[in-house]
Amino acid sequence: MRSIPRRLRLAAVAVPVFALIASACGTDDSETGGGDASAEAVTIYSGRDQELIDPLIDMMREATGLDIEVRYGDTAQMANQIVTEGDQTNADLFIAQDAGALGLLVQEGLLAELPAETTDLVAEEYRDGDGRWVGLSGRSRVFAYDPADVEELPESVLDLTDEEWNGRVGFAPTNGSFQAFVTALRVIEGDDVAQQWLEDMAANDVQLYENNRSQLDALENDEIDLSLNNHYYWYERVAEMGEDAVTSELHYLTNGDAGGLVNVAGAGITAGAANPEGAQQALDYLLSEEGQTFFAENTYEYPLVPGIELADGLVELDSLQQPDIDLSDLGDLDTSIDMIREAGLE
């Protein structure tokens, strides 16, 4: 008898968690699975935060007239939910926090090919080579640090295992962006180097946090001196508190270091979509000037359609010396999560 793939077994465990999240958020009144989505409504599975994306969905409803239902969870849960549902998925459009989850669905054959006029809106490095997903916004990994306590910044994320950083560094091992970074580290440096780095960080008393915001809180409260973050959380904090009230600063890694990965939040239309036309209309809106401006002005991410003005103070995307990596190669999140656990970083 053919064994159940490990990823599917993990997904089966994740379903009750998803159901709780969907129920708790109060944005979905559909049952899970079964492919019974209304042909008139567009069902979106979103791996992005509800607080972040809800205003954009409201704008989409008003601009397009679409009847939109949204189910929220973390990106890995939503991707595994689609894997579990397969061709009978209720999802028409999947919005992911990172390219890895989209790559997973490509590997499983669960995303439809998008028209070239959609994918061509975004540069090649920020979309799937076979046209199965397209990036919506870009986010760079950075060092956030306290300049009062850090005299000299490391040149590579690999240097954080040095004794001088013992107990001074924080990251969020259960966060999807960190897991995508570990996947990139594996692609660039190999699994052995990535596993050793994780174990060395554990031995170097790295401080663990739930997410990017809690890391920045710890940095501002002087619990740590440096954290591995996505850039836009710092800009969000500056906008909320004022530049004078934020003591930390950002450092963008250079020379193609894995710590400078630029990942994307992206989207794809499912192969089993009941309403592919509505999903395409929703995707068109996310790539429109209004949708892209939302990312620039409200989340401080990089809009990926050319011609949209960046948020004030943001470093130009083209100036970042990010690693030369195909984002479609970041689909193997399961192995990265296993390696993080094996290092005792949960």
Side-chain angles (χ1 to χ4, degrees):
M1 183 176 67
R2 185 181 179 188
S3 62
I4 301 173
R6 178 182 171 282
R7 181 163 46 244
L8 297 185
R9 284 186 271 123
L10 287 174
V13 172
V15 168
V17 177
F18 156 76
L20 288 173
I21 292 172
S23 175
C25 71
T27 58
D28 170 61
D29 56 6
S30 301
E31 297 296 330
T32 300
D36 59 352
S38 165
E40 288 76 27
V42 177
T43 301
I44 297 174
Y45 283 12
S46 175
R48 304 219 63 182
D49 290 345
Q50 182 176 3
E51 180 180 357
L52 181 151
I53 207 89
D54 253 359
L56 179 60
I57 298 297
D58 287 340
M59 291 166 56
M60 183 191 296
R61 287 191 179 99
E62 183 173 352
T64 65
L66 288 170
D67 179 8
I68 301 170
E69 298 175 354
V70 187
R71 298 183 176 189
Y72 289 98
D74 72 36
T75 287
Q77 286 174 337
M78 293 292 96
N80 279 327
Q81 183 73 17
I82 294 172
V83 171
T84 300
E85 295 173 352
D87 290 339
Q88 299 301 306
T89 182
N90 280 331
D92 296 307
L93 182 70
F94 175 46
I95 300 176
Q97 183 180 347
D98 61 76
L102 291 160
L104 167 64
L105 296 190
V106 171
Q107 293 171 14
E108 298 290 339
L110 293 172
L111 292 183
E113 184 174 354
L114 301 172
E117 53 264 33
T118 297
T119 55
D120 286 351
L121 291 170
V122 173
E124 290 184 6
E125 58 265 39
Y126 303 122
R127 54 181 159 99
D128 176 52
D130 292 326
R132 304 288 172 169
W133 59 263
V134 63
L136 301 175
S137 59
R139 63 270 293 279
S140 178
R141 299 292 291 175
V142 294
F143 287 166
Y145 70 100
D146 186 342
D149 295 321
V150 177
E151 293 183 1
E152 185 176 357
L153 286 160
E155 295 182 357
S156 168
V157 71
L158 298 176
D159 296 334
L160 294 175
T161 60
D162 291 349
E163 174 62 26
E164 69 172 298
W165 294 104
N166 185 280
R168 301 172 62 194
V169 178
F171 56 54
T174 60
N175 183 265
S177 293
F178 179 79
Q179 294 163 357
F181 149 72
V182 171
T183 309
L185 184 63
R186 292 170 48 215
V187 171
I188 295 169
E189 303 287 351
D191 281 5
D192 290 344
V193 171
Q195 184 67 63
Q196 190 63 54
W197 182 81
L198 289 165
E199 293 175 2
D200 289 347
M201 289 300 294
N204 216 24
D205 195 25
V206 64
Q207 304 299 300
L208 307 183
Y209 297 94
E210 181 179 0
N211 52 41
N212 285 269
R213 288 188 179 89
S214 57
Q215 291 180 96
L216 283 178
D217 289 341
L219 186 60
E220 291 292 327
N221 293 331
D222 214 23
E223 295 176 18
I224 54 177
D225 296 332
L226 183 149
S227 70
L228 277 60
N229 275 82
N230 283 341
H231 78 276
Y232 53 94
Y233 290 97
W234 184 87
Y235 284 92
E236 176 186 78
R237 183 169 297 251
V238 169
E240 289 176 355
M241 303 178 62
E243 190 169 356
D244 292 342
V246 177
T247 59
S248 59
E249 296 181 2
L250 294 189
H251 173 69
Y252 293 78
L253 288 163
T254 59
N255 301 319
D257 192 89
L261 173 70
V262 176
N263 206 335
V264 299
I269 297 174
T270 63
N275 188 355
E277 295 83 7
Q280 180 65 51
Q281 197 174 348
L283 184 56
D284 289 343
Y285 178 79
L286 294 170
L287 293 167
S288 70
E289 181 176 355
E290 190 170 84
Q292 291 287 286
T293 300
F294 176 89
F295 290 117
E297 294 183 349
N298 294 274
T299 69
Y300 307 98
E301 295 172 275
Y302 288 100
L304 295 182
V305 175
I308 308 298
E309 189 172 350
L310 301 181
D312 288 345
L314 207 60
V315 177
E316 291 287 340
L317 184 59
D318 290 345
S319 71
L320 303 182
Q321 298 179 39
Q322 56 181 297
D324 182 13
I325 191 170
D326 185 343
L327 294 177
S328 295
D329 292 338
L330 303 183
D332 183 16
L333 288 175
D334 285 346
T335 301
S336 299
I337 293 170
D338 284 345
M339 292 170 69
I340 292 168
R341 288 173 176 162
E342 288 173 9
L345 296 169
E346 286 187 307

